[in-house]
Amino acid sequence: MANVDVQNVRAWLAPDNTRLVFDISAPVEHRIFMLESPDRVVIDVRNAQLKTEFDHLALADSPVSSIRHSHSDGTLRIVLDLKSHVKPKSFDLPPNDQFGHRLVIDLETPSNAVAAQAASATPAATPVNTTAATTTSEVSTPVAVATPPANGKGNLRDIVIAIDAGHGGEDPGAVGPNGTREKDVVLAIARELKRLIDAEQGYQAVMIRNGDYFVSLRNRVLRARQANADLFVSIHADGWKAPTARGASVWVLSERGASSEMGRWLASRENSSDLIGGVGNVSLEDKDEVLASVLLDMSMTASRTGSREVAHIIHSNIGQFARMHKPNVEMANFAVLRAPDVPSILIETGFITNPQEEAQLRTSAYQQRMAKAIMQGIQDYFWQKPPDMTWIAWRKTQGGAVAGGNRTHRVQPGDTLSVIAVRNGVSVSALRAANQINGDQIRVGQVLRIPAG
Ligand SMILES: [Zn+2]
């Protein structure tokens, strides 16, 4: 007898994982196994019947070529025909604010992760060695090498910025009164930031998430470390019970207690992402390992100092155009900031639950300003403290002590020469001279050299 309904199904495609989420009317017993030639994944669900169809799933870019089902003795059998090899995994999720009981099928596709990472690397970087990393399920480390300087000092690497767009997939993050979802807004800002970073010589951006799918908090930290990131920037947009709460904020990790009640609340909220993602009960041991390494690693002190410094600069940059929630950088125990050796900051770009800020966060103009403020902070910080053997460190020794002497700017819609000049602390005439421009004509996409102050 079939007493559980499979009511709906969603698919979330990540570069290294395809997730199918079945909405079910009650908890079910199930088993999952693989069959070969041809390769398929079989899911048997006891006492269940299918009340939905699979036609609407966009699976073209997934390892699944088709989905079939059949019934026998009350057992619903769902068969996923495969076009490439996967490692299947399944678990169930209890109801939350948005959804009821769910059965989750994860299909891991290790090799795709590498391809996706290679595709997202800047063209200026040396080719990524894809063969070395195909056996791991994590994103490979891009080989970050800047163009060697003209004086032949050998290879200097790029400064690598890991950009972490919060939430994704089954986890929308905070939702605004007009339905704006945090996961979408922060991905848009993250992509804009990546564009700005990749346009700068000496910098390279790595997207921790580059689509609408879920990445566990632990894997976000791991990916940043595997990319040898010099900085981890997590981008979020707050939600709060009252619509009056407003203002952007910048956060660094606190091991002991948050600097405010809201900090405690926010940290517990952002950290609960992992429960929604369904990794809570499978990877607690790994989490403890990460925590243990955090506590043991002596380099943590250095990375925390760096975190505070870059957070402070970005806080004041955002404060130039946005209302800030607090006059200073705040502290809370965000799981995603726990990389022991990578300076890590979390930016709440505004309250999506505040109708005014929700409206702002939706606009690409505001998203661009936010990304620029973050980028400017990154550049100012790394010009002050460039890591050894980076192109920026070398450029600083060549270009004297003037911050920004190494910079370029790719013209954005709405930019004018004078705006670019003011923003970079140079005169319009110096900007004209450095780029051989007469008059005021610039075009979108043009890359301008920013002369030393
Ligand atoms: Zn968030």
Side-chain angles (χ1 to χ4, degrees):
M1 50 164 195
N3 50 20
V4 176
D5 292 341
V6 176
Q7 297 155 325
N8 187 25
V9 57
R10 290 176 293 282
W12 305 101
L13 273 55
D16 55 351
N17 188 57
T18 291
R19 169 168 288 186
L20 293 176
V21 181
F22 296 91
D23 289 320
I24 47 186
S25 59
V28 288
E29 257 182 69
H30 79 280
R31 64 182 186 132
I32 182 169
F33 55 95
M34 301 265 311
L35 291 175
E36 285 174 0
S37 51
D39 281 348
R40 63 225 126 114
V41 174
V42 179
I43 305 129
D44 279 344
V45 189
R46 292 271 311 270
N47 297 330
Q49 56 190 330
L50 192 68
K51 290 287 180 69
T52 182
E53 292 181 343
F54 301 124
D55 309 348
H56 65 285
L57 296 175
L59 294 170
D61 296 326
S62 83
V64 179
S65 56
S66 64
I67 308 183
R68 298 172 281 131
H69 75 281
S70 61
H71 275 106
S72 139
D73 294 333
T75 295
L76 169 64
R77 168 164 289 191
I78 298 169
V79 180
L80 313 177
D81 294 309
L82 300 175
K83 54 193 178 207
S84 59
H85 185 70
V86 300
K87 269 177 21 194
K89 191 175 80 178
S90 66
F91 55 90
D92 33 50
L93 283 177
N96 67 2
D97 298 351
Q98 270 213 314
F99 300 110
H101 290 282
R102 286 156 291 167
L103 172 61
V104 180
I105 311 295
D106 271 345
L107 308 172
E108 269 184 43
T109 49
S111 53
N112 288 355
V114 176
Q117 188 63 41
S120 73
T122 55
T126 49
V128 174
N129 181 351
T130 48
T131 49
T134 43
T135 51
T136 93
S137 65
E138 297 296 339
V139 173
S140 71
T141 305
V143 183
V145 182
T147 315
N151 70 350
K153 281 200 165 182
N155 283 346
L156 294 170
R157 70 175 182 87
D158 284 344
I159 290 174
V160 178
I161 310 296
I163 308 174
D164 174 47
H167 312 276
E170 199 74 358
D171 170 18
V175 179
N178 286 308
T180 311
R181 300 177 303 187
E182 178 183 0
K183 67 174 181 179
D184 300 325
V185 165
V186 300
L187 183 59
I189 296 171
R191 285 181 167 155
E192 177 63 14
L193 179 58
K194 175 177 166 55
R195 210 173 59 77
L196 295 177
I197 289 171
D198 287 345
E200 291 293 330
Q201 185 163 15
Y203 284 93
Q204 188 186 345
V206 173
M207 296 286 278
I208 300 295
R209 162 171 92 82
N210 197 9
D212 192 5
Y213 51 82
F214 181 80
V215 181
S216 73
L217 298 179
R218 178 177 153 270
N219 278 336
R220 290 171 196 251
V221 175
L222 285 178
R223 285 176 187 194
R225 297 189 69 200
Q226 282 172 346
N228 292 322
D230 295 285
L231 178 69
F232 177 86
V233 181
S234 191
I235 302 176
H236 290 257
D238 290 0
W240 184 246
K241 299 168 264 190
T244 46
R246 60 187 183 179
S249 51
V250 182
W251 299 80
V252 295
L253 180 69
S254 150
E255 288 292 334
R256 300 177 203 156
S259 57
S260 66
E261 188 205 349
M262 189 174 278
R264 253 191 308 282
W265 187 83
L266 263 181
S268 71
R269 188 190 156 84
E270 301 289 16
N271 291 348
S272 74
S273 257
D274 258 8
L275 304 178
I276 298 168
V279 296
N281 40 7
V282 262
S283 59
L284 272 178
E285 287 170 12
D286 303 327
K287 267 190 195 155
D288 288 345
E289 263 173 47
V290 171
L291 261 182
S293 75
V294 165
L295 297 172
L296 289 173
D297 199 315
M298 298 303 286
S299 70
M300 180 128 190
T301 314
S303 87
R304 291 187 70 176
T305 305
S307 304
R308 277 198 301 273
E309 288 174 358
V310 70
H312 179 75
I313 301 171
I314 290 176
H315 185 279
S316 73
N317 284 354
I318 297 175
Q320 303 289 311
F321 67 91
R323 182 189 304 278
M324 300 307 286
H325 183 245
K326 286 278 167 62
N328 292 306
V329 170
E330 299 176 69
M331 293 199 292
N333 194 5
F334 290 108
V336 81
L337 299 183
R338 285 182 198 146
D341 44 7
V342 183
S344 302
I345 62 172
L346 186 146
I347 300 165
E348 298 277 4
T349 52
F351 278 89
I352 210 164
T353 45
N354 176 299
Q356 263 179 313
E357 296 195 350
E358 179 191 28
Q360 279 185 320
L361 284 164
R362 291 171 80 105
T363 68
S364 59
Y366 192 84
Q367 293 168 0
Q368 280 171 15
R369 287 177 98 177
M370 190 58 73
K372 271 187 191 171
I374 299 168
M375 179 61 194
Q376 202 92 58
I378 290 170
Q379 282 182 292
D380 288 349
Y381 171 72
F382 282 113
W383 186 255
Q384 286 168 32
K385 293 193 170 178
D388 291 344
M389 298 307 293
T390 57
W391 188 87
I392 297 293
W394 171 80
R395 184 65 187 77
K396 192 175 172 181
T397 64
Q398 303 301 300
V402 182
N406 61 311
R407 287 190 299 205
T408 58
H409 175 83
R410 190 179 291 274
V411 177
Q412 310 288 316
D415 274 352
T416 63
L417 267 186
S418 60
V419 164
I420 297 168
V422 168
R423 201 169 264 282
N424 290 281
V426 298
S427 69
V428 173
S429 56
L431 195 56
R432 280 203 192 102
N435 294 281
Q436 285 131 33
I437 297 172
N438 306 312
D440 292 317
Q441 282 245 311
I442 48 174
R443 59 190 158 70
V444 172
Q446 184 178 2
V447 177
L448 299 178
R449 281 196 343 104
I450 307 294

